[in-house]
Amino acid sequence: MKIHENKRENLNQLKSDCSKCSGLCCVALFFSTIDGFPENKNAGNPCSKLQNNYRCKIHDELEKRNMKGCIGYDCFGAGQHVTQCIYKKETWQTLKEQSKEIFDVFIIIYQLYQIRYFLEEAKIVIPAKNLRNDIENLIDENKVLCNFTPDKIQHINIDNYRNKANLILKKVCDSITKSFNNSTSKQLTEFMGRTFKKRDMSGLDLSVKLLIATNFEGCIFNGTIFLGADTRDTNFSNADLSEAVFLTQGQINSAKGSRNTKLPKHLDYPVTWK
Ligand code: SF4
């Protein structure tokens, strides 16, 4: 069953481009070694591996060093929007006295971009056609919010906006699962560490499921929903994810796979997938 109206070209505008950012995610966020980052650090402190040119000193070794937090993080393009559009190429280093404000703005814009990513995909989901007007209104509101001044961005009620988006996304998920009749897979509730080789997982809602180290080798994921699922070390080798729903680059980067894995056209193969 065809789930998306097109190849999701609209999601290409929400790809992160680190060359147009100032390493915001490596500075603005709190992170810890337990979550797969190189060190424990507070929000607002630069990671010790971040160089003055905003490039990661160990970028080519992240996989080898098991930096799963770094590998799995994706800002959906929020970093370049903050750097290029809001602060006109000024950075937390050139505007030192405003650095806290820049980090606070980044954290809000990141959340808006993440929500916009899911709404942009929801907009072209065929079973959710009847929700299109509501989805487009939320996307328009999102774009307006992202173009506020820094002062106004810091006063955005992000919870209010997220709640509205979540209501719509839930309806989109329901419309997809209803259009499938995968009764066997619907009974599945536990996935972590289990093996489901060559199973048809189509139409299954895996939203926020723990899929850590689950073996999905050779499975089909037509209309399978991955909203917020934890895919660390999930094995997607030879699987067909081309019509998976709400799958992100960060989830793919965290997972295992092969060049025979079929990905949605807007997602890239991690360099580690042979
Ligand atoms: S190790 Fe590199 S990618 Fe990870 S937080 Fe530090 S600078 Fe960023």
Side-chain angles (χ1 to χ4, degrees), residues 10-202:
N10 54 331
L11 294 180
N12 288 333
Q13 60 184 304
L14 296 168
K15 275 179 186 272
S16 59
D17 181 352
C18 302
S19 71
K20 292 186 174 148
C21 181
S22 54
L24 283 169
C25 60
C26 307
V27 189
L29 307 176
F30 155 88
F31 55 57
S32 69
T33 52
I34 295 170
D35 294 322
F37 290 96
E39 60 204 29
N40 300 322
K41 76 163 202 68
N42 290 325
N45 293 341
C47 170
S48 64
K49 309 292 184 230
L50 188 69
Q51 304 174 107
N52 284 339
N53 62 0
Y54 307 124
R55 293 285 164 273
C56 172
K57 203 189 295 179
I58 59 166
H59 182 263
D60 295 337
E61 299 167 27
L62 291 174
E63 175 76 19
K64 196 171 74 188
R65 293 181 182 227
N66 209 22
M67 296 291 113
K68 292 192 184 305
C70 306
I71 294 166
Y73 184 80
D74 180 23
C75 77
F76 303 96
Q80 67 250 34
H81 178 77
V82 170
T83 307
Q84 302 291 321
C85 303
I86 299 179
Y87 288 98
K88 314 289 181 214
K89 300 188 182 171
E90 298 288 350
T91 73
W92 53 276
Q93 281 192 312
T94 60
L95 295 176
K96 279 202 166 64
E97 69 291 350
Q98 270 175 264
S99 59
K100 185 178 178 318
E101 175 199 281
I102 295 173
F103 301 143
D104 290 347
V105 165
F106 168 69
I107 288 165
I108 294 164
I109 295 291
Y110 162 70
Q111 294 175 75
L112 287 168
Y113 263 64
Q114 184 186 43
I115 296 167
R116 197 195 304 175
Y117 177 88
F118 295 125
L119 291 172
E120 285 284 353
E121 179 167 354
K123 190 173 79 175
I124 53 163
V125 165
I126 295 169
K129 256 185 173 171
N130 62 323
L131 299 168
R132 197 151 304 173
N133 278 349
D134 292 339
I135 295 168
E136 282 177 348
N137 287 340
L138 277 170
I139 292 173
D140 289 345
E141 184 181 346
N142 189 305
K143 288 178 180 170
V144 170
L145 294 173
C146 287
N147 284 309
F148 275 1
T149 58
D151 184 46
K152 282 179 83 178
I153 288 170
Q154 290 175 92
H155 291 97
I156 290 172
N157 187 338
I158 191 76
D159 289 338
N160 182 40
Y161 179 76
R162 187 188 294 102
N163 289 341
K164 287 191 289 183
N166 282 347
L167 274 179
I168 290 285
L169 292 173
K170 173 82 178 67
K171 288 182 187 174
V172 173
C173 294
D174 289 345
S175 73
I176 295 169
T177 51
K178 269 188 204 141
S179 64
F180 282 85
N181 191 19
N182 193 343
S183 51
T184 315
S185 294
K186 274 177 191 161
Q187 290 158 9
L188 301 171
T189 50
E190 296 297 323
F191 295 90
M192 197 160 89
R194 294 182 62 189
T195 293
F196 299 93
K197 269 187 176 180
K198 296 189 177 173
R199 289 275 288 270
D200 184 0
M201 312 302 278
S202 297

Side-chain angles (χ1 to χ4, degrees), residues 2-13:
K2 194 163 154 43
I3 302 298
H4 300 89
E5 268 185 8
N6 56 44
K7 292 176 183 162
R8 287 173 264 186
E9 293 92 346
N10 54 331
L11 294 180
N12 288 333
Q13 60 184 304

Side-chain angles (χ1 to χ4, degrees), residues 188-196 201 204-217 221 224-236 241 244-247 251-252 254-256:
L188 301 171
T189 50
E190 296 297 323
F191 295 90
M192 197 160 89
R194 294 182 62 189
T195 293
F196 299 93
M201 312 302 278
L204 198 62
D205 189 350
L206 299 178
S207 297
V208 301
K209 288 273 189 285
L210 291 178
L211 309 178
I212 300 168
T214 307
N215 187 351
F216 285 129
E217 220 179 316
F221 294 98
T224 311
I225 301 160
F226 284 92
L227 189 65
D230 189 335
T231 58
R232 280 174 291 168
D233 289 331
T234 309
N235 185 355
F236 289 124
L241 289 158
V245 181
F246 299 142
L247 190 63
Q251 285 172 318
I252 286 300
S254 300
K256 293 177 176 164

